[in-house]
Every structure is written in C-alpha cells, then in structure tokens.
Amino acid sequence: MTGHDRLTTPSIYQGREEEKDREGNTHSLSLSLSLFANKQTNKRILLLLLLLLLQYQRERVMSPNKIIINNNSSSSSSLGNADMPSSQSENGFISSFSLFPEKAVQELLQSPVQGDDHLIEFSEALRTVAKALRRVAEGKASAQAEAAEWKRKYELERARNLQSENRGKSCLELQADLDDMRTINPTNQPTLCNEANEKFERCCSSNGICSHEVLRNGNPDSDSKMVRKASFKLSWCSKGVQSDQHKHDIVSFERGNITTAERSSKQISLKWESSPQTVLILTKPNSVSVQILCAEMIRWLRQQKKLHIYVEPRVRVELLTESSYFNFVETWKDEKEISTLHTKVDLVLTLGGDGTVLWAASMFKGPVPPIVPFSLGSLGFMTPFYSEHYKECLESILKGPISITLRHRLQCHVVRDAAKNEYEAEEPILVLNEVTIDRGISSYLTNLECYCDNSFVTCVQGDGLILSTTSGSTAYSLAAGGSMVHPQVPGILFTPICPHSLSFRPLIMPEHVTLRVQVPFNSRSPAWASFDGKDRKQLAPGDALVCSMAPWPVPTACLVDSTNDFLRSIHEGLHWNLRKTQSFDGPRES
Ligand SMILES: NC(=O)c1ccc[n+]([C@@H]2O[C@H](COP(=O)([O-])OP(=O)(O)OC[C@H]3O[C@@H](n4cnc5c(N)ncnc54)[C@H](O)[C@@H]3O)[C@@H](O)[C@H]2O)c1
Ligand SMILES: Nc1ncnc2c1ncn2[C@@H]1O[C@H](COP(=O)(O)OP(=O)(O)OP(=O)(O)O)[C@@H](O)[C@H]1O
C-alpha cells in the first residue's frame, strides 16, 4: 500500500489527515475508536493504522512542538473509561513507543488473523496511543501556559522596574529642586529645604502607591515648556475605613492557623498629589449630541481649568470645522504617538456608551490613565457619570480623591500552527469585556479543545466559547447564561455559547490561570475569535488562542464606589430581579 492509497473503510480514518499522515507531515489524528466495534472491519487496516501511528510518534518526538491531537467525542469517551487496562506503555509517550519494535508490527502484519481477541487487543493498544497523544498535547498546553505565565511575570516585573525607575527619577528631581532652592535662595534655605525634604519623604514613603512622572510634551520644537503629568497616590479602603497600608499578603499563618489577613481587592481611592493638566476626550462617532457636548466641555476645561486637551484626529477636524478657536486642541498622527499617550494624559473622558469605554481601553495596549465615563449611550453599564452635570462631576474629579474600579483585562495571543515559536507572529490583544471564539458564518458545530494550565478542561461543541473578564460578565457572557460578577473580583469566566450538551454549565476560573483554546485538526471548519466584539480573526485547524490576565487593568472612576455603581447598573440598566411586590392581601401562615 503506498502513501497515496486511500483506506476504503470510511469510518476509521478521516480523509485529510490520512493523506498527510502517511507522508509523515500530519499534525493531528482522528481516532474514532468506537468504530472498532464493527466486527467487519478489516484487521489488516487496523494493523496498518498502528504502524502509521508509530511513524507519526517518531516524527513528533523529533519535532515535539508540532504535536496536537484531536479528542473528538468518541475518543474522549474512550479515554474516560475507567476499565481501561493500565500498562507500562501508558506511563509516557516516549516509553510507550520506543519500546515497541517496528519489526514486531511487520510480523503482525504478515501473520494470519486470529479472531476477535486480536481486534480487542488492538482496540486497547490504540486507546493507549490516544491517551499518550493526549498527554503530549496536555504537556504542550502546560508548556505554553508556563511560557505565558513567565511572560506575564516578566512584563509585571518590567512594569514594576519602570515604576521604581520613575519614582527614583522623581526623587532625584525633588533632590534637584532641593539643590536649586539652595542655590537660588540661600537665606531661606531651611524652610524651603524642609518643604522639599518633606515632599521627598512623602514621595519615597512606603505607604500607598505614588505615581511621580515628569514627562516632556510630545513635540520638543513646539515650545520648550515642560508639561508635567499629574502625580497621584492610590490607597485601599476597607468598609469605608481608609488605610494607607497596601498589602499583597492574603494569607497569614499566625499560631500555625491559616487565616485570610488581607484581601487584595478593596475599594481603591485615587488622590491627586499634583493637579491633572492633560485630558484626552474620546467620543462616540456620528452623534450630534456628543459633538455638541464635546465642544462645550473643551471650552470649559480650557477656560476654567486651563487644561491641555487631546482628541482623536477625526474630532479635531470636526471641531475646527465649527470654529478656529479649537486650534489649541492637540491630537496624534500615527500609532506610535498613540502608544505614548499614557505618558502624557492624566485623565481620559469618554462621551458615549459602553462601546466608547471599550474603545478607550483598546487604545491603550499597556498602562491606562484613569477613565471618567460620561453616559451618552442607551444602556451605559460602565458609564455612571451624567453628562448633564459634567461641570460638577469634573470639578470633583479634578480635585479628588476619586473612588476607582480597577477593571481587569485579559491578554490574548493567537498562536498559529504555522508559527515556529509561541507568540512570534502576532501581538497580544487586550480585552476589557471578553474574547469570543465562535463558528462565525459556518453552519457546523464548533469543536474547541480547552486547556487550563496543564489540565484538559473540556471540548466545547456548540456555537462557541466566551472567555470573559468580570467587567464583561454583564455583557455577552450574561446573554450566554454566565453569572454576573462584581468587576473587582479577579477571575476569568468560561461561558459556552449554545453548547450542544445538557450538562455544560459556565465556570469561573481564578485569575492566575492561563487558558488555551485550540481548534482541532479534524475540525470541519475554522473558528473565529473576536475581541470585545471587534477585530475578527480566523483560527484555522491547529491554531490556538492563549489567554491570561493582563498586567494592565483599566481604572474607571466611580460615581459613588465600585459596589454601589455595580448594583445601580444591574438594577437600572438590566432591571435585575424586577418584580411587582406581593401584596399583603391573601392567605397567611396561621
Ligand atoms: N448577545 C449579546 O448580548 C452580545 C452579542 C455580541 C456582542 N455583545 C457585547 O457587545 C460588546 C461590544 O459592545 P459595543 O458597544 O462595542 O457593541 P454594541 O454597540 O453591539 O453594543 C452591545 C451592547 O452591550 C452593552 N455592553 C457592552 N459592554 C458591557 C458591559 N461590560 N456590561 C454590560 N453591558 C455591556 C452595550 O451597552 C450595548 O448595549 C461585546 O464586548 C460583547 O460583550 C453582546
Ligand atoms: N471614538 C470612537 N471611535 C470609533 N468607534 C467608536 C468610538 N467610540 C465608540 N465607538 C464604537 O461605536 C459603537 C457605539 O458606541 P457606544 O456603545 O458607546 O454607543 P451606544 O451604542 O449608543 O451606547 P450603548 O452601548 O450604551 O448602547 C461601538 O461599537 C463602539 O466600539
């Protein structure tokens, strides 16, 4: 039988993989083990199949990063069989095959067929093969999860280093201020030095988290004046009591007992240490009411608060069409300038609905300045500020302190089967609501293999899967039957979309895990990933999406505090548990 021959038993082996396997290029196998129950099956074909599996394994051992298997429903059920005999070959992928001589298989092929016992033996051998292959896939998922976790740690560490570098810088600058004061006014030295010393002390004190950054305005030619980014301090409150101690220690072991001393997620308060000077205003397009409010707000912020203002290029054009007065409004030219916006902007104001908040978040691929979302949309779940009262709101925000919700984001990597290394091809995408992997326009059931760190979670068969943040729990995930979760709860929601199974309940995973969703090689169609409802990307068979918590949350200002705002939104926006109250009239317990 040559490599181009086709197996005529249609149910054993599916066409596309079959061709590739025998050329030694296959990336996945489809094992429909239940089909072995068919007693008419040609035993020689089974033997050949085993031989192909051996060849396949040898290739994969040589290039392990190409191993991906398909657990279709029948193989999964076989694998879950507790009665499956345990043998030495089950202990590991390499040992299971390297000890199995090819010659013996050749002999088997040539030997006369000896009844059903043989068939059963083979069926079991193939189950073992499938199990071993799945272990390898799990190993790969685990390695990828670990790689993602290291990457996340590296990014966190880098962000921390940058932060401490900046802190160091500002301390140095305060030190420089101190030196300047000494030179300028030697007679007043003690008082001024004390002031500067105090500032210096405050900056470097270990309470809370300070942000001291002094940054140059983007265009050095425009004017030599320095625009300082406002400095602020974050502190954590518990049950209304302000505490400057920001502790990451969650568990303590006092007297040998495990207790939860501190919880990491508390109400966070932001206090300006210097006044904000630059705001970015982002607006929903094609809305006259938004355009009018935007122009009015800019005039007020400029005239009353003397602030620097950035808008999107589209909005600047609109403003200049209205009046040349808006010439002072700044914008950017390209993506590169967008990537440095966070170093210039103290506050982001959004005028629109939830989509505009998502848009604002998507502009910042790294750190995000605090966002103040004004409601000019229909639902406004994440937009608690009333646009009619913008002056009072902004007065209070610019003065501080502000309660903020730190909305966690997910970072998603599309890992192409064709890519040689993880993450080599595509930049990570950050989402505030969710990443959805669905069937797109295909009418076939999606088939998605899901892994969590090094464990197989499940195979999603249905319309798709939503991996959502807790902020996104009230969006698409809610519509698909997921639970509503307070946005300060750190976690990743795992919500199926129309699963074709009676027992598929949504899950909530802890925030530290890495999830991997893989399109199996024998999938009938590609899947589609979309990020906060945008940027659809095709996932071909063999491609995967790796998702973990991003180190850069989105801080959004609260009207009251994060719990009050969340509850108000589910009541007013979603009419949660709205029911007419039962009257007193009627039967009573005696
Ligand atoms: N069946 C569904 O419910 C469904 C389908 C597709 C997309 N979506 C959601 O739409 C989001 C994109 O929003 P858009 O405004 O750009 O598109 P859009 O204009 O289609 O609006 C989607 C709706 O979802 C609401 N929404 C968005 N984020 C929310 C959140 N975190 N909590 C509560 N409601 C929220 C918006 O207010 C809006 O009413 C996606 O991230 C997804 O969550 C929902
Ligand atoms: N600055 C922007 N540039 C381009 N698109 C934007 C911008 N702001 C918002 N959008 C897009 O416009 C669409 C509608 O925006 P948004 O959700 O804010 O308004 P809405 O639909 O009226 O409000 P709601 O979400 O409360 O129903 C969204 O898809 C969003 O991604």
Side-chain angles (χ1 to χ4, degrees):
M1 210 182 219
T2 73
H4 296 286
D5 287 342
R6 290 202 174 265
L7 294 171
T8 44
T9 317
S11 49
I12 292 180
Y13 210 70
Q14 285 166 4
R16 199 177 60 76
E17 288 84 4
E18 167 211 331
E19 268 176 30
K20 284 188 177 176
D21 262 19
R22 276 176 282 153
E23 284 158 12
N25 295 326
T26 312
H27 303 164
S28 81
L29 290 169
S30 174
L31 298 172
S32 295
L33 295 177
S34 60
L35 298 164
F36 288 109
N38 180 356
K39 302 243 167 102
Q40 301 307 314
T41 305
N42 186 330
K43 290 167 193 168
R44 277 175 192 277
I45 289 172
L46 290 174
L47 292 171
L48 266 172
L49 181 53
L50 182 60
L51 187 57
L52 290 173
L53 283 168
L54 291 172
Q55 279 171 349
Y56 166 79
Q57 106 75 17
R58 203 173 296 135
E59 302 265 334
R60 295 303 122 221
V61 169
M62 302 306 286
S63 54
N65 73 345
K66 289 283 177 188
I67 300 174
I68 291 153
I69 71 153
N70 157 39
N71 307 295
N72 66 16
S73 57
S74 47
S75 65
S76 302
S77 60
S78 310
L79 294 168
N81 188 350
D83 301 328
M84 206 174 93
S86 141
S87 69
Q88 191 191 355
S89 64
E90 285 176 39
N91 293 338
F93 189 68
I94 293 177
S95 65
S96 55
F97 291 100
S98 51
L99 299 175
F100 207 130
E102 194 181 320
K103 207 173 155 218
V105 179
Q106 293 292 358
E107 278 167 12
L108 269 174
L109 272 172
Q110 278 147 24
S111 69
V113 173
Q114 294 160 9
D116 286 352
D117 286 355
H118 232 80
L119 199 59
I120 291 162
E121 250 174 55
F122 264 115
S123 167
E124 280 170 359
L126 285 170
R127 284 179 195 199
T128 309
V129 171
K131 195 171 178 183
L133 285 172
R134 196 163 88 177
R135 281 212 187 112
V136 174
E138 281 177 0
K140 186 184 176 188
S142 156
Q144 282 170 336
E146 206 178 321
E149 183 54 21
W150 277 110
K151 192 164 188 284
R152 196 171 74 98
K153 281 186 183 153
Y154 163 76
E155 276 160 2
L156 263 174
E157 195 55 39
R158 214 171 126 234
R160 246 183 244 140
N161 286 347
L162 271 175
Q163 201 185 18
S164 55
E165 223 175 71
N166 285 334
R167 258 191 226 162
K169 255 193 224 159
S170 69
C171 294
L172 284 178
E173 272 174 14
L174 286 169
Q175 190 65 61
D177 284 355
L178 204 68
D179 293 343
D180 283 353
M181 286 170 194
R182 282 190 191 119
T183 345
I184 295 164
N185 197 345
T187 46
N188 268 350
Q189 196 179 311
T191 347
L192 288 170
C193 282
N194 283 348
E195 251 177 55
N197 267 331
E198 257 177 35
K199 268 193 199 168
F200 185 79
E201 282 290 302
R202 240 188 301 137
C203 161
C204 300
S205 79
S206 56
N207 289 344
I209 295 181
C210 302
S211 126
H212 291 278
E213 276 185 304
V214 179
L215 298 148
R216 268 185 188 284
N217 198 353
N219 183 359
D221 305 329
S222 61
D223 78 42
S224 58
K225 207 173 75 187
M226 297 269 275
V227 174
R228 280 163 188 273
K229 189 171 158 161
S231 134
F232 56 81
K233 184 174 172 180
L234 297 184
S235 54
W236 274 250
C237 314
S238 184
K239 291 180 191 137
V241 181
Q242 186 101 5
S243 147
D244 271 347
Q245 289 298 328
H246 168 239
K247 289 188 183 171
H248 289 285
D249 307 352
I250 293 176
V251 177
S252 78
F253 297 97
E254 253 170 60
R255 294 188 199 146
N257 298 323
I258 299 174
T259 55
T260 46
E262 285 282 331
R263 281 172 193 86
S264 59
S265 276
K266 289 180 176 174
Q267 180 55 58
I268 300 162
S269 167
L270 181 151
K271 194 174 167 195
W272 299 110
E273 292 197 321
S274 58
S275 305
Q277 296 194 23
T278 309
V279 296
L280 163 66
I281 304 181
L282 295 174
T283 59
K284 170 171 80 170
N286 303 326
S287 162
V288 176
S289 58
V290 167
Q291 261 182 37
I292 293 170
L293 179 73
C294 178
E296 197 186 311
M297 208 181 245
I298 291 174
R299 276 178 201 273
W300 184 80
L301 286 170
R302 184 65 172 186
Q303 288 164 8
Q304 304 297 317
K305 301 290 162 192
K306 311 277 179 284
L307 291 180
H308 295 265
I309 291 154
Y310 276 86
V311 294
E312 289 172 276
R314 161 187 59 84
V315 178
R316 190 167 191 276
V317 171
E318 283 167 11
L319 288 167
L320 286 176
T321 316
E322 192 185 314
S323 160
S324 59
Y325 166 81
F326 294 106
N327 244 324
F328 63 87
V329 174
E330 295 172 67
T331 190
W332 52 86
K333 283 189 224 80
D334 50 31
E335 284 289 317
K336 202 174 155 224
E337 280 188 58
I338 297 180
S339 68
T340 59
L341 262 185
H342 71 280
T343 62
K344 300 172 188 161
V345 168
D346 294 315
L347 267 181
V348 180
L349 313 182
T350 62
L351 313 183
D354 295 318
T356 311
V357 178
L358 296 174
W359 180 266
S362 73
M363 279 184 59
F364 297 92
K365 318 275 182 226
V368 191
I371 296 181
V372 184
F374 283 96
S375 173
L376 283 109
S378 53
L379 175 59
F381 199 90
M382 294 189 285
T383 60
F385 292 94
Y386 302 106
S387 54
E388 312 86 72
H389 307 306
Y390 78 87
K391 288 181 191 161
E392 295 88 321
C393 289
L394 287 175
E395 289 277 8
S396 136
I397 297 273
L398 293 170
K399 194 161 149 247
I402 323 167
S403 285
I404 57 170
T405 302
L406 274 191
R407 295 183 182 275
H408 300 282
R409 287 196 284 181
L410 296 177
Q411 79 186 3
C412 313
H413 294 266
V414 173
V415 182
R416 301 284 176 199
D417 176 54
K420 287 190 203 78
N421 297 308
E422 296 275 290
Y423 315 124
E424 82 173 2
E426 304 190 22
E427 280 289 296
I429 302 168
L430 275 74
V431 292
L432 174 55
N433 267 355
E434 78 285 287
V435 54
T436 308
I437 306 106
D438 61 32
R439 62 188 172 87
I441 54 163
S442 163
S443 43
Y444 292 111
L445 209 67
T446 32
N447 188 350
L448 303 168
E449 285 169 5
C450 306
Y451 298 88
C452 175
D453 291 341
N454 54 359
S455 309
F456 176 68
V457 182
T458 192
C459 188
V460 178
Q461 294 182 93
D463 277 0
L465 175 71
I466 301 167
L467 300 178
S468 168
T469 62
T470 45
S471 284
S473 69
T474 44
Y476 196 1
S477 170
L478 169 78
S483 183
M484 294 196 286
V485 189
H486 188 299
Q488 288 285 197
V489 176
I492 306 177
L493 282 81
F494 185 96
T495 314
I497 311 170
C498 298
H500 197 235
S501 134
L502 295 176
S503 53
F504 199 159
R505 296 296 178 97
L507 295 177
I508 303 176
M509 307 303 260
E511 43 80 43
H512 59 81
V513 301
T514 299
L515 293 162
R516 179 186 158 87
V517 180
Q518 165 107 36
V519 183
F521 277 94
N522 72 337
S523 177
R524 292 189 184 185
S525 56
W528 292 85
S530 57
F531 307 87
D532 284 341
K534 298 220 161 8
D535 299 335
R536 271 191 167 263
K537 279 180 190 271
Q538 196 182 45
L539 299 179
D543 292 347
L545 188 121
V546 178
C547 179
S548 59
M549 196 78 98
W552 298 287
V554 177
T556 56
C558 305
L559 187 62
V560 181
D561 60 44
S562 53
T563 303
N564 186 295
D565 285 13
F566 172 69
L567 293 175
R568 197 176 51 85
S569 286
I570 61 172
H571 286 132
E572 289 175 15
L574 298 175
H575 306 295
W576 180 60
N577 194 25
L578 197 67
R579 182 195 186 276
K580 283 193 174 170
T581 311
Q582 194 176 39
S583 71
F584 278 112
D585 269 3
R588 283 164 196 272
E589 293 265 339
S590 51

